[in-house]
């Protein structure tokens, strides 16, 4: 998501210097107006903070190690929809009862595993992976802009 890309770019930047929206948008190929909406949602959830003025912009509100990927996704996208039919209220009329549904347990396990991974992975984990990939490419004499390593 663009929200994850923006947060990762902020995590990879100087921690004490806000990044201007125009720079954040252009360096990460995110439409500026859409990025402003994303940053506003992230700010309302306390994940980023804004600074006004000529040297203003956005920066993370907390250290990257304390921000989970799940928090970022929920801040931008809202709560995730249930996977298939793991929530009884989401069943269709044709759905069998929970005792007769073969896929019900699988759906529940998929959903809980996905949330555990997203909530257990921090922005710092992803920042370190981006740095590792960048270093590996530099060792191979290949220069890649950091934004090319960020998720689409």
């Amino acid at each position: 998501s663009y929200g994850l890309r923006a947060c990762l770019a902020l995590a990879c930047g100087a921690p004490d210097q806000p990044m201007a929206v125009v720079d954040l948008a252009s360096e990460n190929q995110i439409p500026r107006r859409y990025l402003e909406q994303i940053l506003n949602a992230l700010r309302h959830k306390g994940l980023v903070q804004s600074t006004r003025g000529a040297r203003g912009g956005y920066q993370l509100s907390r250290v990257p190690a304390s921000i989970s990927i799940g928090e970022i996704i929920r801040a931008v996208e809202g709560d995730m929809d249930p996977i298939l039919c793991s929530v009884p209220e989401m069943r269709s009329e044709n759905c069998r009862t929970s005792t007769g549904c073969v896929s019900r347990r699988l759906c529940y396990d998929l959903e809980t595993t996905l949330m555990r991974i997203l909530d257990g992975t921090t922005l710092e984990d992803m920042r370190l992976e981006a740095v590792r990939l960048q270093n590996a490419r530099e060792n191979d004499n290949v220069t890649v802009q950091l934004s090319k390593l960020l998720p689409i």
Side-chain angles (χ1 to χ4, degrees):
S1 89
Y2 284 142
L4 180 55
R5 181 183 283 204
C7 286
L8 189 52
L10 292 174
C12 291
D16 57 341
Q17 289 184 321
M19 185 177 248
V21 174
V22 67
D23 296 333
L24 192 56
S26 66
E27 291 175 16
N28 294 284
Q29 297 89 40
I30 304 172
R32 183 172 169 237
R33 290 190 187 274
Y34 188 48
L35 178 59
E36 288 170 346
Q37 294 172 9
I38 291 169
L39 290 169
N40 193 37
L42 292 166
R43 187 174 56 80
H44 282 294
K45 292 294 185 177
L47 299 175
V48 299
Q49 59 189 24
S50 62
T51 305
R52 295 179 189 259
R55 295 162 68 78
Y58 283 86
Q59 61 193 87
L60 296 174
S61 296
R62 305 189 320 243
V63 295
S66 71
I67 300 173
S68 77
I69 303 309
E71 281 183 278
I72 296 167
I73 291 172
R74 283 188 296 275
V76 176
E77 306 290 337
D79 287 334
M80 294 183 64
D81 290 331
I83 296 174
L84 301 175
C85 62
S86 63
V87 176
E89 300 81 42
M90 302 297 289
R91 283 196 316 235
S92 72
E93 291 179 24
N94 298 328
C95 183
R96 291 184 232 137
T97 65
S98 60
T99 57
C101 181
V102 179
S103 64
R104 189 167 204 71
R105 182 66 188 180
L106 174 64
C107 295
Y108 175 79
D109 289 348
L110 285 170
E111 186 175 325
T112 55
T113 300
L114 176 62
M115 294 311 300
R116 188 173 57 244
I117 291 169
L118 292 175
D119 288 336
T121 304
T122 68
L123 200 50
E124 179 68 2
D125 296 329
M126 291 195 67
R127 187 194 71 77
L128 290 173
E129 181 64 9
V131 169
R132 186 192 69 77
L133 290 171
Q134 189 172 25
N135 289 339
R137 292 205 170 125
E138 286 173 2
N139 290 338
D140 292 337
N141 292 324
V142 177
T143 304
V144 178
Q145 190 177 5
L146 182 61
S147 64
K148 301 291 184 197
L149 301 174
L150 303 179
I152 295 177

